[in-house]
Amino acid sequence: MIKWAKVLSTPALGTAIAFSSITTSHAAEMKTAKAETTEHVSISQAQAKGIALQDCKGTVTSTEFKQESSVYVITIVTNNLEQRIVEVSASTGKVVKKQEVKLWTQNQVKESVSKQYKGAIQSITFNKETREYTLTVVDGKVEYTLTVDGLTGKVIHENKKELQLMSEQKIKEAIVKQYSGYVYSLEFKESASQYVAVILKNSTQYTVTLDAFTGKVVNTSQQEVKVLTRQDAKDLALATYAGKVKIVEYDQNAAIFTVKIIKDNTEYTVTIDAVSGEITHVKQDKLQPLTENAVKDLALKHQEGKVEHIELITENSITVYVVTLVSGSKQQTLKFDAYTGQECS
């Protein structure tokens, strides 16, 4: 049997040979190009970053490799909040191009935002990674959190929320964090949405105005004030409740004096404002006189001997025990407050 073989014509055969040659040649060129590209990249991305940072101090925010030009494009935000674009050759490690892009300053951003929002700017921060500013603006009962593009100065995001009026307790807590004194008074001014606090610390009086929604201090002033002495407090209490002063105490944290006075069978606890001198509170407690045995023990602690006589009398509006002691040939008379046990002259 004769087998038929397909024979290519001369033109067709030439075309086939030519195509084969071209394909082989093209493959060789591609291989060479690939080898050349591989040879060009001798610097790593990390090395390129280091080279760029040596040339320009700051924070790297992005890195890109451009294969067609075999360079690393590195974006850096400097400590002065300026953006620099540095191109580093991937083959030589040399800086081949530098470009400076001005970022908006804080003052420029504040000025721009103030034209768009009526409230007060509470805070502003800058993120080097995103090249964005974040601002907090309070306008009455509304708080805005804004994100501003550092390159264009445009507000790219806005978050709005209604604020709640802070309670007096919360305001006091906010004050205590900033001042170590005593909150002498606190007043809410509805028309201005503010609290006005008066704080006492030793002899200094601070007047602090706070935003009623945020607790932020918006104004402060201070002045020296006269605080009552212990003798002043004692005299004020006795002027109202004549008797015998048992004790005078001062609470520096609350700026008040507490004076205890015994009159007849009543103990008066008088609270006095240390700044104004006003008696703010009075408490009365009925007392029971000490027993004779208790008074005898007090007398014998003062003087050794034998108690010969003891008597309860009222003298100069004060109830006292009169105790007669005998020691050998000596006789002594002692007097004790019937309620406090204090020796009377």
Side-chain angles (χ1 to χ4, degrees):
M1 180 182 291
I2 300 173
K3 293 184 178 180
W4 293 88
K6 189 173 182 180
V7 180
L8 293 173
S9 63
T10 302
L13 182 61
T15 302
I17 293 170
F19 178 78
S20 175
S21 300
I22 291 171
T23 304
T24 304
S25 174
H26 182 63
E29 288 177 4
M30 288 179 64
K31 186 175 181 180
T32 303
K34 185 176 181 181
E36 288 176 356
T37 303
T38 305
E39 289 175 2
H40 286 168
V41 181
S42 58
I43 301 297
S44 68
Q45 188 179 91
Q47 288 174 318
K49 283 184 182 180
I51 293 167
L53 287 171
Q54 285 180 355
D55 188 79
C56 177
K57 303 296 182 183
T59 302
V60 174
T61 58
S62 67
T63 304
E64 178 189 357
F65 178 67
K66 288 188 176 180
Q67 190 168 357
E68 65 275 9
S69 55
S70 191
V71 295
Y72 290 101
V73 180
I74 300 163
T75 303
I76 298 172
V77 174
T78 69
N79 296 330
N80 296 327
L81 301 185
E82 295 176 346
Q83 180 173 279
R84 304 285 175 82
I85 299 174
V86 182
E87 293 187 11
V88 178
S89 171
S91 58
T92 65
K94 292 183 178 180
V95 175
V96 295
K97 187 177 180 181
K98 291 188 288 187
Q99 183 181 355
E100 182 179 337
V101 180
K102 288 286 186 181
L103 289 170
W104 280 50
T105 65
Q106 280 197 7
N107 288 337
Q108 288 174 322
V109 171
K110 283 182 177 180
E111 185 178 350
S112 176
V113 168
S114 295
K115 291 178 180 178
Q116 302 173 64
Y117 297 85
K118 295 180 180 179
I121 297 173
Q122 301 289 327
S123 65
I124 179 170
T125 58
F126 180 70
N127 187 323
K128 289 184 179 181
E129 298 293 332
T130 61
R131 287 159 286 177
E132 294 172 349
Y133 286 94
T134 301
L135 296 90
T136 302
V137 181
V138 175
D139 183 8
K141 298 180 180 180
V142 181
E143 180 183 80
Y144 297 92
T145 301
L146 308 174
T147 303
V148 177
D149 189 305
L151 291 171
T152 65
K154 292 183 178 180
V155 176
I156 56 178
H157 185 262
E158 174 192 295
N159 183 45
K160 177 181 176 182
K161 72 173 182 179
E162 293 287 331
L163 294 174
Q164 298 296 319
L165 192 70
M166 293 181 70
S167 66
E168 287 193 4
Q169 183 59 37
K170 289 291 184 182
I171 286 291
K172 284 183 178 180
E173 290 174 3
I175 292 170
V176 169
K177 287 181 180 179
Q178 300 177 66
Y179 299 88
S180 58
Y182 164 69
V183 180
Y184 180 71
S185 66
L186 184 63
E187 178 187 0
F188 175 61
K189 292 191 174 181
E190 187 174 0
S191 59
S193 296
Q194 293 176 338
Y195 282 100
V196 178
V198 176
I199 302 155
L200 289 177
K201 185 177 180 181
N202 299 326
S203 60
T204 304
Q205 176 179 292
Y206 299 89
T207 301
V208 183
T209 304
L210 305 96
D211 187 290
F213 293 100
T214 65
K216 296 278 187 180
V217 174
V218 296
N219 188 40
T220 182
S221 63
Q222 67 182 71
Q223 65 178 15
E224 295 299 312
V225 293
K226 183 181 178 182
V227 179
L228 297 179
T229 64
R230 289 179 179 272
Q231 187 61 48
D232 292 334
K234 180 179 177 180
D235 293 342
L236 282 169
L238 286 173
T240 308
Y241 302 94
K244 187 174 181 63
V245 175
K246 180 181 178 181
I247 193 172
V248 179
E249 294 179 333
Y250 178 59
D251 185 346
Q252 186 174 351
N253 293 326
I256 59 170
F257 279 100
T258 300
V259 183
K260 290 183 181 290
I261 297 174
I262 306 295
K263 183 180 180 182
D264 298 328
N265 64 337
T266 304
E267 180 183 76
Y268 297 89
T269 302
V270 184
T271 304
I272 302 173
D273 188 302
V275 177
S276 67
E278 178 186 357
I279 294 176
T280 58
H281 186 260
V282 178
K283 180 185 176 184
Q284 298 183 29
D285 293 303
K286 292 295 181 181
L287 299 176
Q288 295 297 322
L290 298 173
T291 64
E292 287 191 1
N293 286 335
V295 175
K296 285 180 182 180
D297 291 339
L298 286 172
L300 291 172
K301 286 180 180 179
H302 281 72
Q303 179 67 49
E304 292 184 357
K306 181 181 178 182
V307 175
E308 189 174 80
H309 180 73
I310 184 168
E311 182 181 2
L312 183 65
I313 65 171
T314 300
E315 186 177 75
N316 298 324
S317 300
I318 299 174
T319 304
V320 298
Y321 276 105
V322 180
V323 182
T324 303
L325 278 173
V326 176
S327 178
S329 59
K330 293 182 180 180
Q331 180 176 297
Q332 186 177 5
T333 300
L334 300 174
K335 294 180 181 179
F336 297 94
D337 188 295
Y339 298 101
T340 66
Q342 289 183 327
E343 186 177 3
C344 303
S345 56

